Amino acid sequence: MKAAALTLLAGSALALLGGTALADDALVARGDYLVNGPVACGSCHTPLGPDFKPIADKTLAGGFHFDEMAFNSYSANITPDKETGIGNWTDEEIIHAIREGAQKDGRIIFPPMPVPTYNNMSDDDVKAIVAYLRTVKPVKNAVPLAKYNIPQQTMPPAKGLPAPPKTDKVAYGGYIVNALGHCFECHTTPGANGIPDFAGHLGAGGFEIKLGPGMSVMTANITSDKETGIGDWTDAEINRAITQGIGRDGKPLAPPMAYAYYKNMTDEDVDAVVAYLRTLKPISNKVEPTAFQQKAFP
Ligand code: HEC
Ligand code: HEC
């Protein structure tokens, strides 16, 4: 994804010289980086094959099934197909779905879409994502309607504040984790009600994700606790876990973390994430991996 970053720079430099077409190129390049890197929309919106790898000709075409107690839903088709995707939606409608969590017709579309995270996304980044989604190949794929067994509520109107400057590494890393990636939705311990306990157990892991019958994984403790978290890991080890899906012992980590997308993140952005993770309050919480999780993953 370095190439995208370069295009982005070149695009914005040229845009200053004139013409909105070039500014649009820069926007699309930024959206491409976000969607295929830290935000990883495809980790839910592109269905996986039996090998847990994204199905190439279904990119962003939806249909990934979530079968939980609280909801039974399928990720939506977010390609520009006019009948089964979002080709007929306006930019504002798509932005509202991403950051506040409602469909065109008002139907609320989360959980599991990490709308509370995206509510913190800057105006520039959400516009870049929409600009990029307009350029992907339309795929015809009708997806069944979701059923929710819990009350749902949209998020308040997004503030759309600009992202912190990259020179403030910890703050920018915090923006990636809390507005773009949705690390804590997976990595936070659930409270008694089954909802992540962000106030008391942020990043402490131990959330069980069911991937199928007999296939579930427990998320890792990514706080800076030295014994049960990643406080003792080197920066390079954390970087490798995020971008290559390789654990401290050198073995591949289990799905479904979006390693295939995070590998496209720039070194600068991964460094910022690691710097931010180091600032997390250490929480002692020993996570026992499931038997499935201890299998070998190719
Ligand atoms: C953790 C999974 C997950 C992630 C990550 C995710 N989504 Fe979704 N999204 C869903 C699900 C599931 C639905 C369908 C919910 C429903 O039908 O009620 C959905 C619905 C949508 C819709 C509404 C479309 C429609 O026809 O109803 C849009 C637009 C959308 N997502 C865009 C995105 C974008 C853009 C990203 C990345 C910035 C993203 N989503 C990331 C799970 C996810
Ligand atoms: C969809 C859920 C999900 C998301 C989103 C997610 N992770 Fe993970 N992550 C996991 C699971 C599950 C594991 C454990 C894998 C294993 O043990 O084989 C893991 C493991 C890790 C590890 C290795 C720790 C260890 O002890 O093995 C790190 C570091 C990590 N995640 C950081 C992150 C960061 C940073 C983000 C956001 C950019 C993130 N994760 C997003 C599910 C997720």
Side-chain angles (χ1 to χ4, degrees), residues 61-210:
F64 194 114
H65 188 199
F66 297 88
D67 188 3
E68 304 280 336
M69 223 135 78
F71 49 85
N72 191 323
S73 67
Y74 297 82
S75 62
N77 181 342
I78 57 170
T79 73
D81 183 63
K82 287 198 194 302
E83 278 152 41
T84 62
I86 55 173
N88 271 333
W89 293 39
T90 65
D91 286 6
E92 290 68 31
E93 284 165 346
I94 303 174
I95 290 174
H96 180 57
I98 298 171
R99 291 199 305 198
E100 282 112 24
Q103 239 265 5
K104 246 156 94 91
D105 62 11
R107 198 167 54 80
I108 300 177
I109 57 165
F110 75 101
M113 176 150 150
V115 178
T117 292
Y118 300 156
N119 194 250
N120 301 317
M121 206 183 273
S122 74
D123 284 343
D124 286 350
D125 282 348
V126 81
K127 284 181 191 155
I129 287 175
V130 172
Y132 171 71
L133 290 178
R134 301 274 188 217
T135 70
V136 306
K137 196 177 85 175
V139 179
K140 203 160 287 302
N141 187 36
V143 169
L145 265 188
K147 259 223 207 80
Y148 295 90
N149 308 317
I150 44 165
Q152 289 172 283
Q153 223 182 350
T154 49
M155 290 299 293
K159 295 200 183 75
L161 300 177
K166 289 198 172 184
T167 44
D168 188 344
K169 210 164 154 180
V170 170
Y172 194 75
Y175 174 74
I176 296 175
V177 169
N178 293 297
L180 304 179
H182 55 289
C183 318
F184 290 142
E185 255 102 350
C186 282
H187 280 283
T188 300
T189 324
N193 53 6
I195 296 171
D197 175 19
F198 295 118
H201 285 87
L202 191 73
F207 169 62
E208 182 176 2
I209 303 176
K210 297 192 188 74

Side-chain angles (χ1 to χ4, degrees), residues 1 4 27-38 128-129 132-133 135:
M1 268 305 136
L27 204 64
V28 170
R30 171 74 180 162
D32 184 347
Y33 174 70
L34 292 170
V35 170
N36 295 304
I129 287 175
Y132 171 71
L133 290 178
T135 70

Side-chain angles (χ1 to χ4, degrees), residues 39-65:
V39 188
C41 310
S43 63
C44 290
H45 282 279
T46 302
L48 298 182
D51 56 356
F52 294 108
K53 302 254 155 67
I55 303 174
D57 60 0
K58 288 262 175 83
T59 301
L60 300 176
F64 194 114
H65 188 199

